[in-house]
Amino acid sequence: MSQAILTGTSRGLGRALALKLLECGWTVHGLARENSDINHPRFHSHAIDITHEPSVQSTIAKIGQSSQGIDLLINNAGSASMNALLLTPGSVAESLMRTNYLGAFYCLQAVGKSMVRQRKGLIINITTVAVPLALAGEAAYVASKAALDALTKVAATELLPHGIKVVGLGLGPIDTRLTRAVSQNKLAEINQRIKRPQGTTLDEATAFISEKINDPQLASGQIYYLGQVT
Amino acid sequence: MITRKQSLDLVLQRLGSLALELGKPALLNVDESTHLFGDAAHLDSIGLVTLIADLEQDIFNQFGKRVTLADEKAMSRLTSPFRRVGLLADYIVEVVNAK
């Protein structure tokens, strides 16, 4: 049976994605600050702070030990903050970098070691169209996700010889808590720019991610976008 | 508790299995003085990463301790513990017994 580790499962895309993976037969280990309300025999909730490296290491080592190995990691946990660059407090920039980049880095490193032992695995980093669009008002968020994209590319190069693929999946705005602070006009403008005027539903986002998980032609190091970004 | 002999055996056994997997028969004839990484090394970076990841798991399986061999302490040393087989065996004893 295939084992997945997914971060940020207490709500939003992470929760929907966990349900989708369960539906597809995966055993899912959900990592989040708060325990998830998902009740399923193949779902295991782990309440941890992914920005705390020792917690990530010990939790993932325990999961690897208790299961047949880890086949899939999805770094989904993320936070956002919309503000003009010159009005963004440094503490916000630091906090976003910790969650969106460092948290993913710790998880990737810990799961990567387990996958190296298995000589196979797939790592997906959830990113955003806001990076290639260089969206105004999202400097700290975009910079943290750009760091994650760079990590995706280097990790792909280093881990491919071990049989491990690493890709980024970039999404547009979805109606979750992450985008609640963004005005309707701004959301409409972004959706127009990525040629998805109707926006993206949670179902569409999870279907896109699921399709990529099952794609044998997935090119390691690539960032795939749901929507047009050029 | 791990003894120096147990530690050395662990490294030699793991190198033996990597020799077959990585197609490097030279790894079957190694001793304490064999260079692992650096100049005149037997392993490239991919081989070293594989060796370390496998050894961490071996240590947990056989001694019940979760250790990180490639940490800041190891990286900041003047003489890398990954340079030679004997140094790696010494380092494993130090890290495992400090836990």
Side-chain angles (χ1 to χ4, degrees), chain B residues 36-57:
Chain B
L36 284 176
F37 199 62
D39 300 335
H42 280 66
L43 293 174
D44 57 8
S45 61
I46 295 160
L48 184 68
V49 168
T50 311
L51 173 67
I52 299 299
D54 287 346
L55 280 174
E56 287 176 357
Q57 188 65 36

Side-chain angles (χ1 to χ4, degrees), chain A residues 180-199:
Chain A
R180 296 271 152 83
V182 187
S183 74
Q184 289 303 311
N185 285 346
K186 174 96 175 168
L187 290 176
E189 182 198 321
I190 300 168
N191 285 326
Q192 282 294 344
R193 282 182 71 183
I194 62 171
K195 307 283 190 287
R196 292 183 68 84
Q198 304 304 315

